[in-house]
Amino acid sequence: MSKDSAPEGKPGGTPEGVLEGIKEKLVRTKELWAEQGRLLTGTAGDPERDRLPPGQRLVTDWPVLDLGIQPAVSEAAARLDIDGLVEAPLSLSWAELMALPQEERRNDIHCVTQWSRYDNDWRGISVTDLLARARPRPEARFVTMESHDGYTTNLPLADLDRPENLLATHWEGQPLTRQHGGPLRLVVPHLYFWKSPKWIRRITLIPDDRPGFWEVRGYHDRGDPWKEERYS
Ligand SMILES: Nc1nc2c(c(=O)[nH]1)N[C@H]1C(S)=C(S)[C@@H](COP(=O)(O)O)O[C@H]1N2
Ligand SMILES: [Mo]
């Protein structure tokens, strides 16, 4: 995975001024994998029976994967907005986030590039809690999420509004490091890890699906690892 950290050329096909300096070669490689259906085993997994989804292998380290931009987001600059189709839009500062109940979760994570890591201990803020405060309107069916590096990803609202999901600030008792998305990242453990934005800035509730960075580049719209939903 460390070969992913080499800086590459300029981005192509991205909005002006956004995602400048991303690892374009890495992005192209992954797009090609998606076209070719690389890494697919063609077997369905059963979460009741197996702990490891099909085609995954277990790692004990924690690989770093991103577009090559790791924004330095200070706690003073950290802010989370929940907006769009909600009755009570939220724009929370770090202090306001810290004043909310801090919860813990333990879960397994699964990256589409085939690594899985068991028993990650997180601390942070409950997503269902925050959504309840923002009060989604009935027309809200999907979310689009934005991060400080320009990354975007999408989810059905039902996949975001699950009790195991967490807006994580800590991992194994320590503040989440910058490389893993600190100070604030989302963790959605039941889907491939590209659905868990690092350096999260905004969650917008919308009526219709809006594919994000990887989803427009051939990745699956939902990304269930048990169904091997790697690519569209
Ligand atoms: N903001 C942002 N979030 C992101 C990414 C990214 O490039 N930018 N990459 C995604 C991908 S593809 C993966 S596998 C995980 C990797 O998280 P990690 O580096 O903490 O292992 O973050 C996801 N969230
Ligand atoms: Mo990934």
Side-chain angles (χ1 to χ4, degrees), residues 6-228:
E8 303 289 352
K10 291 221 180 73
T14 48
E16 220 180 311
V18 177
L19 296 171
E20 263 173 53
I22 67 169
K23 294 180 282 189
E24 191 183 2
K25 200 167 139 195
L26 168 85
V27 172
R28 294 264 177 281
T29 304
K30 298 250 180 100
E31 265 182 306
L32 200 63
W33 285 19
E35 271 169 42
Q36 297 167 344
R38 277 280 292 275
L39 313 179
L40 292 173
T41 66
T43 53
D46 177 0
E48 303 295 313
R49 182 195 58 204
D50 308 319
R51 188 158 179 192
L52 201 60
Q56 296 295 109
R57 62 191 146 66
L58 192 59
V59 300
T60 50
D61 60 339
W62 185 7
V64 173
L65 277 99
D66 50 53
L67 303 172
I69 309 161
Q70 297 182 339
V73 184
S74 67
E75 293 181 356
R79 177 168 279 282
L80 180 71
D81 292 357
I82 301 188
D83 57 17
L85 295 171
V86 292
E87 301 292 348
L90 301 176
S91 182
L92 302 168
S93 68
W94 183 255
E96 288 167 328
L97 287 164
M98 290 303 102
L100 296 169
Q102 305 294 301
E103 300 194 4
E104 294 183 352
R105 300 282 186 277
R106 168 176 283 194
N107 50 49
D108 299 347
I109 55 180
H110 310 291
C111 174
V112 69
T113 61
Q114 288 189 303
W115 58 268
S116 292
R117 191 178 190 287
Y118 291 163
D119 291 329
N120 297 275
D121 285 308
W122 311 96
R123 181 147 53 88
I125 299 133
S126 152
V127 175
T128 53
D129 234 53
L130 279 183
L131 285 172
R133 283 165 202 263
R135 289 189 278 130
R137 298 210 185 126
E139 318 88 82
R141 290 280 176 272
F142 293 90
V143 300
T144 174
M145 302 180 286
E146 277 170 46
S147 296
H148 286 274
D149 60 343
Y151 184 79
T152 57
T153 190
N154 58 310
L155 288 173
L157 180 56
D159 279 317
L160 181 65
D161 198 5
R162 290 169 59 118
E164 72 269 33
N165 296 346
L166 200 68
L167 281 152
T169 58
H170 287 72
W171 179 78
E172 305 205 333
Q174 299 298 319
L176 196 58
T177 59
R178 172 175 168 183
Q179 60 177 352
H180 287 299
L184 187 70
R185 86 170 294 164
L186 180 64
V187 179
V188 177
H190 74 292
L191 299 175
Y192 283 124
F193 212 32
W194 88 79
K195 293 291 189 178
S196 292
K198 311 201 278 192
W199 315 291
I200 191 166
R201 172 71 184 81
R202 181 186 303 274
I203 300 174
T204 305
L205 283 70
I206 52 179
D208 301 306
D209 196 13
R210 190 186 301 163
F213 183 88
W214 285 118
E215 293 82 8
V216 300
R217 288 171 174 79
Y219 278 34
H220 196 278
D221 197 54
R222 179 150 184 268
D224 182 341
W226 297 99
K227 297 180 182 154
E228 258 202 312

